[in-house]
Amino acid sequence: MCGIIGYIGNKEAGDILIEGLQKLEYRGYDSAGICVADEKSISRTRSVGKVESLKEKFALNKHKGTRGIGHTRWATHGAPLEKNAHPHSDLEEKIYVAHNGVLENYKELKDILQKKGYTFTSDTDTEVIPHLINMYKAEGVNIKEAIIKTVKCLTGAYGLAVIDKDEECLYAVKNGSPLVLGIGDGEMYISSDEIPLIGKVENTVFLSDGDIAEIRASEYQIFDINNFIVEREVNEIQNEAENISKEGFAYFMEKEIFNQPQSIKDSMRGRISKDNNEIIFGGLMDHWGKVQNATSINFIACGTSYHAGMVAAYNFENITRVSSRAEYASEFLYRHPVIDKSGIYVAISQSGETKDLLSAIEYIKKEGGTVMGLVNVVGSSISRITDFGIHIHAGPEIGVASTKAFTSQTLLLSMLAIKLAKDKGTLTKEEYIGIKNEILDIPRKIQKVLSCNDDIKKLAEEHSDKNNTLFLGRGVDYPVALEGALKLKEISYVHAEGYPAAELKHGVIALIDKDMPSIVLATKGTNINKVLGNVEEINARGGEIVMISDEDQDVFSHIPHTRISIPNTHPILTPILSAIPLQLYAYHSVVVRGRNVDQPRNLAKSVTVE
Ligand code: AGP
C-alpha cells in the first residue's frame, strides 16, 4: 500500500505535502517524493527512505508553488530506489502522477509506448501513466480527456493523483485503491485516507471506483469514465486530531496497546441497551433474518484479522451450533470454493483496503453469496462493497502491528455470537446476561492486564538473545498463539511459530531446547489438563516455559515457569485479555533490540496488492 497526498490552494504546497506524507507514512515508507507547481514551472523532489529524508532534501531547494502532489511508497514493481519513487513524469516533465495500486497490464502498455519511441527511466508499472496522458494530449485532446482515455487503457487497482504544469488544477482517479477529497476554504486536498486531513478540513468526499475528480482551489467536479458528472456524498471528517498524535507514548503501537480499555468502550458504545440488555448492531437490523437463518458462518480475512476470525469461528460454532470456519482470504479465493448462498461470509479488515480480501468479496458476491463487513476505517473500500456490516470504531490504528483492532474485532464478534445464540435459543437468557455483564466489565479487566507491563518488559529483556520462540494454545487459545507469533515476527524479526499445543508431540517438540522459549496459553477456554500434559513434555526436555493463564489457575504450580495471569472472564472473552501480554511482549522485544516499532522493515499498514 502507498500514501498519496495532493494540495491546491493559497498556501505554499511543498511543506503541506510533506506534512501530509508524514501522516501517511504508515501506509508505506521505502521512498517518497513530491512535485510542486506555480504558474510558470513545476519541480520534483524524491528520496529513498523515510519521508524525513525527503523533507531534508526539499529544504535545500524549496520550489515555490501553491499546488502539488506527493507519494510515500511501499514498493511493488521496482526496488526502493530514487528513480522508482513517485511522482513519475512524462518525457517533457510536464505531467506528474502518483499511484497507489498495481497495474496488471503495464507490460503490454510499456511495449506499445516504447515502440512509439517513449523511453522509461524507472522499473515501475506507474510510469506508463504519464506517458499515456502525454500521448493522448499530443493527439489534441485536453488534459481531462487525456486522463479518461488513459484510464480506459488501465487494468488493475489504482488511486491516482495527476498534476499538469500547464493546468491550474489537480486530478484524482479512483479504481480499487482509496482516495478522499478534503474540502477546504479556498483550498482542496487529495489523500489516501482522512488522517492527513484531520485539523485541515471539516468535510471530505470519498471517491468511488471509476470516479475522476477535477480539483481547483475553490471547487471540484467529479466525472465518470464517460465524462458525465457524478455527485458524491459530502461527509463530516470522521476522526479527531488527538487520534493521530502519539500523546506522549514512544510509539503509536505502545499508545494503541494502552488505549485498549478506551477503544473497547468506543467499540461497545451504543450497542448494549441499558433498558433491555439487547445487543444492537444498527448495520445488521435490516438483514438480521439473513444472519439468524444462516446455514454457515464463514470468516474471511488476512493476518491479525484472520486470527480474530478464527477465535470467532470457535465461539460461533460452540454457542450458536451453526457450522463456522475461518479462512485466509488469499487461500479461499484461489481454491475455487463452493459458496453457501444461505450462509453468510464475514469479511474482517482493520483498513478495509486489503486486496486479497476485496478480491474474495467480489468472488463471493459474483457467486451469489452474502458478505457482512467488520471494518475499522469508515468509508473504506470493503466497508462500501459488502452487503451490510459493522464498523468497529476502534479509532485510527497507525502502528503497522495491529493491536486494538484485534481486541475490538474479537469483542464485537463475541457480542454478535451471543446475540445470535440467544435468538436461536442455544444460549439461555441467564447465560446471555452473564456474558453480557462480563463484556461490560472487559475494559476494567484490560486495564488490569496492562499492569503486567513491567513483568513482560523484563521477560522480553531476558529473551533479547533468543532467535526463535514457540507459542502454544488449544481451542480459542490456539488463534491467540498464532497472533502472538505474528506480532513478534513482524516487528522484532525474531522467528516465531504459533501451534496447537497438542500437535507439539507430532514433530515440533524436536525444536525444544533451552534457547527456544515456549509461551503457552492455558485459559479457561481450553482443556487445561491436556495443556498440562504438553507443558510437562516441554519441561522434561529443559525448555523454558512462560504461561499465560487465569489468575486463579494453579495446576502448573509444580512446573518451573514464568507466570503471566489474566483476570477471570467468560471463556469466549479470554482471547481479548490473553492477547494483550503477547502484544506487550512483541513491543518490548522490538524496543530491547533497538528496532522500529511502528514501521518495521518490508511491511506496510495495509496490503492493497494481491
Ligand atoms: C497485523 O499486525 C499485520 N499488520 C497484518 O497481518 C494485518 O493484520 C493484515 O494485513 C490484514 O490487514 P487488515 O485487517 O487491514 O485487512
Side-chain angles (χ1 to χ4, degrees):
M1 178 178 82
C2 305
I4 289 176
I5 191 82
Y7 174 81
I8 182 166
N10 44 29
K11 303 187 187 79
E12 281 306 318
D15 291 337
I16 291 172
L17 295 170
I18 285 173
E19 182 192 353
L21 289 180
Q22 286 172 319
K23 290 177 183 164
L24 288 169
E25 200 162 24
Y26 71 96
R27 301 175 66 92
Y29 36 83
D30 58 43
S31 55
I34 61 171
C35 85
V36 176
D38 59 16
E39 302 73 32
K40 297 183 294 303
S41 63
I42 192 165
S43 168
R44 174 176 63 184
T45 309
R46 296 184 290 181
S47 74
V48 176
K50 304 239 184 308
V51 174
E52 191 57 33
S53 311
L54 176 69
K55 183 176 180 180
E56 288 164 7
K57 194 166 181 180
F58 182 67
L60 301 174
N61 174 22
K62 283 198 171 190
H63 189 84
K64 296 281 184 207
T66 58
R67 61 191 166 98
I69 61 174
H71 182 275
T72 183
R73 186 170 182 243
W74 181 68
T76 55
H77 294 77
L81 303 171
E82 184 170 326
K83 70 169 186 174
N84 292 329
H86 302 213
H88 288 287
S89 77
D90 62 344
L91 294 177
E92 296 169 60
E93 296 188 340
K94 284 185 173 181
I95 296 166
Y96 288 80
V97 175
H99 167 219
N100 175 22
V102 170
L103 299 182
E104 292 166 10
N105 65 334
Y106 86 94
K107 283 200 173 69
E108 66 191 75
L109 294 172
K110 189 167 181 174
D111 290 346
I112 293 166
L113 288 162
Q114 284 174 320
K115 288 191 176 80
K116 288 175 177 281
Y118 286 86
T119 56
F120 285 75
T121 59
S122 82
D123 309 319
T124 67
D125 53 342
T126 304
E127 196 183 351
V128 300
I129 298 172
H131 292 317
L132 284 168
I133 296 171
N134 172 287
M135 182 184 79
Y136 286 118
K137 271 195 83 176
E139 290 175 4
V141 298
N142 66 31
I143 179 70
K144 184 178 70 169
E145 288 157 2
I147 291 171
I148 289 176
K149 282 175 173 285
T150 296
V151 166
K152 285 179 175 174
C153 303
L154 306 181
T155 306
Y158 46 88
L160 306 178
V162 183
I163 187 170
D164 180 337
K165 171 183 165 295
D166 299 328
E167 304 286 339
E168 267 300 316
C169 62
L170 301 177
Y171 288 90
V173 182
K174 193 241 191 253
N175 187 54
S177 298
L179 277 179
V180 57
L181 303 187
I183 316 298
D185 180 9
E187 57 186 13
M188 298 280 183
Y189 290 79
I190 302 167
S191 179
S192 295
D193 61 37
E194 283 191 324
I195 291 177
L197 308 180
I198 294 171
K200 307 285 185 194
V201 299
E202 299 296 323
N203 297 310
T204 59
V205 174
F206 283 92
L207 296 183
S208 296
D209 283 354
D211 285 358
I212 296 149
E214 183 176 76
I215 305 147
R216 301 179 188 284
S218 300
E219 61 181 355
Y220 69 93
Q221 193 62 266
I222 302 173
F223 303 88
D224 67 13
I225 198 77
N226 300 311
N227 206 5
F228 292 120
I229 290 174
V230 294
E231 296 299 329
R232 292 288 174 235
E233 187 187 348
V234 179
N235 315 286
E236 275 189 39
I237 196 158
Q238 289 290 329
N239 297 300
E240 301 307 321
E242 66 270 11
N243 280 338
I244 56 163
S245 74
K246 291 181 189 147
E247 292 182 345
F249 288 97
Y251 293 99
F252 279 110
M253 182 185 180
E254 185 192 18
K255 172 192 168 189
E256 288 150 10
I257 290 172
F258 284 90
N259 175 243
Q260 289 178 109
Q262 185 55 50
S263 53
I264 283 284
K265 283 179 191 163
D266 294 343
S267 295
M268 272 196 260
R269 184 167 295 114
R271 289 170 160 165
I272 300 182
S273 157
K274 292 185 177 59
D275 309 335
N276 57 12
N277 293 312
E278 278 308 304
I279 287 174
I280 308 147
F281 290 118
L284 306 192
M285 277 175 164
D286 297 340
H287 308 273
W288 187 244
K290 181 72 182 172
V291 178
Q292 207 170 17
N293 301 312
T295 49
S296 68
I297 303 172
N298 310 276
F299 301 92
I300 316 283
C302 303
T304 287
S305 297
Y306 166 70
H307 299 147
M310 281 183 74
V311 170
Y314 276 102
N315 287 336
F316 269 81
E317 187 145 330
N318 178 23
I319 66 170
T320 69
R321 307 315 294 156
V322 177
S323 170
S324 305
R325 70 186 52 69
E327 196 164 352
Y328 284 117
S330 54
E331 286 302 308
F332 172 85
L333 179 60
Y334 289 106
R335 66 175 177 79
H336 198 209
V338 173
I339 296 305
D340 176 1
K341 294 183 177 58
S342 57
I344 57 164
Y345 292 78
V346 183
I348 308 171
S349 176
Q350 188 287 128
S351 64
E353 299 301 343
T354 299
K355 186 71 173 79
D356 285 331
L357 188 52
L358 274 164
S359 303
I361 294 165
E362 286 158 6
Y363 176 91
I364 296 164
K365 293 185 72 170
K366 185 164 58 60
E367 296 288 312
T370 300
V371 188
M372 170 189 145
L374 184 77
V375 179
N376 193 30
V377 177
V378 178
S380 58
S381 303
I382 290 172
S383 71
R384 295 189 299 149
I385 68 166
T386 41
D387 297 299
F388 53 88
I390 297 170
H391 279 120
I392 71 171
H393 297 313
E397 187 177 69
I398 310 294
V400 165
S402 188
T403 51
K404 64 178 184 173
F406 175 80
T407 47
S408 284
Q409 289 164 347
T410 304
L411 172 94
L412 290 167
L413 288 169
S414 302
M415 289 169 61
L416 182 58
I418 68 168
K419 176 181 173 69
L420 181 57
K422 177 173 74 69
D423 281 13
K424 295 174 78 70
T426 52
L427 200 61
T428 66
K429 185 114 171 103
E430 293 68 30
E431 289 168 328
Y432 168 85
I433 295 291
I435 300 172
K436 189 268 301 177
N437 291 335
E438 277 297 330
I439 287 171
L440 291 170
D441 198 23
I442 280 290
R444 181 184 67 81
K445 292 187 172 178
I446 290 177
Q447 196 61 57
K448 197 171 172 188
V449 178
L450 289 168
S451 63
C452 75
N453 184 47
D454 291 343
D455 294 341
I456 295 282
K457 182 170 184 288
K458 180 167 168 289
L459 185 67
E461 287 162 355
E462 288 164 5
H463 290 173
S464 60
D465 61 340
K466 305 297 182 193
N467 298 313
N468 296 285
T469 308
L470 197 53
F471 292 79
L472 300 167
R474 296 175 82 113
V476 285
D477 286 345
Y478 167 43
V480 180
L482 292 173
E483 175 57 12
L486 174 62
K487 287 281 95 53
L488 185 62
K489 276 182 280 201
E490 70 172 326
I491 55 176
S492 74
Y493 319 149
V494 170
H495 174 254
E497 226 174 318
Y499 231 81
E503 279 297 303
L504 194 66
K505 56 187 176 291
H506 298 288
V508 168
I509 200 161
L511 293 174
I512 299 297
D513 62 23
K514 63 179 177 43
D515 294 325
M516 181 169 198
S518 295
I519 299 180
V520 184
L521 291 131
T523 68
K524 280 200 172 61
T526 64
N527 186 327
I528 290 290
N529 290 320
K530 296 286 186 191
V531 176
L532 175 59
N534 305 135
V535 172
E536 298 271 15
E537 290 157 13
I538 298 170
N539 184 45
R541 289 156 182 81
E544 180 186 353
I545 298 160
V546 178
M547 299 294 304
I548 312 266
S549 55
D550 308 285
E551 54 199 8
D552 58 359
Q553 193 59 263
D554 61 4
V555 295
F556 304 103
S557 51
H558 63 291
I559 296 171
H561 67 280
T562 303
R563 164 79 170 256
I564 304 293
S565 295
I566 61 172
N568 284 315
T569 186
H570 188 278
I572 75 165
L573 302 175
T574 51
I576 300 166
L577 302 180
S578 58
I580 292 169
L582 305 184
Q583 295 168 353
L584 289 168
Y585 181 75
Y587 169 76
H588 288 299
S589 297
V590 182
V591 172
V592 75
R593 290 174 171 81
R595 291 175 179 151
N596 188 323
V597 174
D598 285 334
Q599 295 174 356
R601 68 186 183 196
N602 306 341
L603 288 177
K605 181 58 183 172
S606 170
V607 183
T608 55
V609 293
E610 278 195 18

